């Protein structure tokens, strides 16, 4: 039996059986959703008892969460840029008040780390994204994280630096804490500032709200799709999401500035990687 059987509903999604037509159908379903929405959800992939276990692991490490409350623009910047008008996405700052449990909080052998490092899971996600192979993001802090939104917190509108993110919702908020996104609001050739500003000022045209439940796996292309997690109600239960970061190339590591912002510290690996960095596009960040 595949060791992942304890973690995943392999009856419904036999992702360990490369030739199984049910697996092929799940891949096709995800590819279609990614092509049309930039977002795919594999419903109930993680078994309910495993979701409970993952949540206990998160709760046990919650004291290591790095919370940062700041006003930021969609590019994670916090300072006014005088080269842009006042009413412009670059100069529109909204509260982000969530936190991350960092990668070095999970010891090898923990359930969350095992799921993240499962070759069966990575190969399935690679196929869904139609890329030859995926490697676990080598960043020691940002590779495997849990995004924590406690009552009253929100993760405002932003773009991800990575081309895609993989999320498993582990505990949902009883009020608020919904994942909302605007597919392809910018592209590598067009910043889409006007449309972005409309959303930042409260517009809802083109905003999708995801029906995400604990145990669902979400694959999201967040480089071009503005997205947020809406405010968790003050009387709500907290929202916990495991975030698995993968890269197409092996050995990729995060930026120093962003790492400090998200985790409050950097490791020597980050400083070394900063020296020989190659960017894939020219978008602001
Ligand atoms: O918690 C989530 O569902 C995703 C949060 C997010 O957008 C991010 O961490 O970049
Ligand atoms: Fe994001």
């Amino acid at each position: 039996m595949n060791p992942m059987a304890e973690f995943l509903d392999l009856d419904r999604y036999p992702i360990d059986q490369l030739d199984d037509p049910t697996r092929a159908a799940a891949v096709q379903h995800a590819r279609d959703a990614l092509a049309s929405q930039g977002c795919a959800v594999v419903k109930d992939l993680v078994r309910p008892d495993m979701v409970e276990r993952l949540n206990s692991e998160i709760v046990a490490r919650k004291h290591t969460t790095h919370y940062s409350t700041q006003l930021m623009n969609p590019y994670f910047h916090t300072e006014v840029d005088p080269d842009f008008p006042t009413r412009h996405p670059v100069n529109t700052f909204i509260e982000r008040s969530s936190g991350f449990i960092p990668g070095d909080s999970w010891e090898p052998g923990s359930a969350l780390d095992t799921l993240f490092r499962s070759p069966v899971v990575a190969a399935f996600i690679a196929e869904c994204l139609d890329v030859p192979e995926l490697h676990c993001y080598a960043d020691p802090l940002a590779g495997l994280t849990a995004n924590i939104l406690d009552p009253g917190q929100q993760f405002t509108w932003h773009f991800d630096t990575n081309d895609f993110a993989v999320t498993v919702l582990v505990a949902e908020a009883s009020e608020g804490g919904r994942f909302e996104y605007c597919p392809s609001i910018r592209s590598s050739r067009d910043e889409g500032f006007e449309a972005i500003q409309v959303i930042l000022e409260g517009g809802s045209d083109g905003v999708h709200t995801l029906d995400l439940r604990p145990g669902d796996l979400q694959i999201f292309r967040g480089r071009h799709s503005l997205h947020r997690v809406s405010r968790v109600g003050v009387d709500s239960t907290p929202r916990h999401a495991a975030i698995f970061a993968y890269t197409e190339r092996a050995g990729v590591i995060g930026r120093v500035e962003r790492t400090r912002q998200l985790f409050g510290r950097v490791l020597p690996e980050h400083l070394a990687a900063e020296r020989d960095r190659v960017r894939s596009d020219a978008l602001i960040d």
Side-chain angles (χ1 to χ4, degrees):
M1 195 167 70
N2 191 292
M4 277 297 111
E6 193 192 346
F7 288 74
L8 308 175
D9 185 349
L10 293 180
D11 300 323
R12 182 167 172 192
Y13 302 105
I15 63 169
D16 57 327
Q17 304 295 321
L18 294 185
D19 298 326
D20 193 304
T22 310
R23 180 186 192 276
V27 167
Q28 193 55 50
H29 189 262
R31 283 188 180 182
D32 292 345
L34 281 164
S36 63
Q37 314 286 314
C39 184
V41 175
V42 185
K43 297 297 291 177
D44 295 316
L45 178 64
V46 181
R47 292 188 177 282
D49 46 351
M50 184 53 70
V51 173
E52 288 301 313
R53 188 161 146 202
L54 297 179
N55 197 43
S56 341
E57 289 191 354
I58 288 175
V59 170
R61 289 159 183 79
K62 212 162 163 178
H63 64 282
T64 67
T65 306
H66 178 70
Y67 290 101
S68 50
T69 298
Q70 57 183 185
L71 300 177
M72 68 170 207
N73 71 15
Y75 318 101
F76 284 84
H77 296 172
T78 55
E79 305 288 332
V80 169
D81 186 337
D83 292 342
F84 291 90
T86 312
R87 197 171 164 193
H88 186 282
V90 168
N91 284 325
T92 302
F93 303 94
I94 309 178
E95 172 195 328
R96 178 177 82 86
S97 45
S98 60
F100 285 108
I101 298 178
D104 57 355
S105 285
W106 320 98
E107 61 282 359
S110 60
L112 204 65
D113 189 72
T114 304
L115 187 55
F116 172 51
R117 298 192 189 283
S118 159
V120 162
V121 171
F124 173 68
I125 294 167
E127 268 196 65
C128 293
L129 286 160
D130 203 4
V131 296
E133 58 181 12
L134 286 178
H135 305 267
C136 292
Y137 189 20
D139 193 293
L141 297 180
L144 173 60
T145 58
N147 189 23
I148 305 295
L149 276 85
D150 279 336
Q153 296 185 330
Q154 68 171 12
F155 195 144
T156 190
W157 294 113
H158 66 280
F159 293 102
D160 292 344
T161 321
N162 296 340
D163 285 334
F164 62 89
V166 176
T167 304
V168 175
L169 187 63
V170 172
E172 65 184 335
S174 50
E175 190 202 330
R178 309 305 301 275
F179 185 89
E180 299 175 341
Y181 66 109
C182 306
S184 304
I185 200 168
R186 76 172 180 179
S187 70
S188 51
R189 278 163 301 136
D190 178 6
E191 290 276 7
F193 288 135
E194 271 183 44
I196 294 169
Q197 189 62 20
V198 171
I199 302 298
L200 298 183
E201 292 183 5
S204 56
D205 276 4
V207 176
H208 297 229
T209 301
L210 199 64
D211 177 28
L212 200 64
R213 301 289 161 197
D216 294 351
L217 177 107
Q218 176 195 5
I219 307 173
F220 181 66
R221 290 195 179 279
R223 185 96 183 101
H224 296 156
S225 297
L226 189 70
H227 59 285
R228 72 169 174 182
V229 182
S230 67
R231 194 179 293 282
V232 172
V234 287
D235 297 320
S236 171
T237 52
R239 179 185 189 272
H240 300 158
I243 303 190
F244 300 163
Y246 300 96
T247 53
E248 285 183 63
R249 284 182 296 127
V252 181
I253 203 162
R255 306 296 302 255
V256 163
E257 197 192 331
R258 177 73 60 96
T259 303
R260 229 184 270 286
Q261 182 179 24
L262 296 180
F263 303 102
R265 63 197 160 105
V266 296
L267 299 176
E269 293 96 307
H270 294 106
L271 300 170
E274 194 76 12
R275 290 193 285 269
D276 41 34
R277 174 161 300 284
V278 183
R279 292 298 298 262
S280 59
D281 63 44
L283 292 168
I284 290 184
D285 202 358

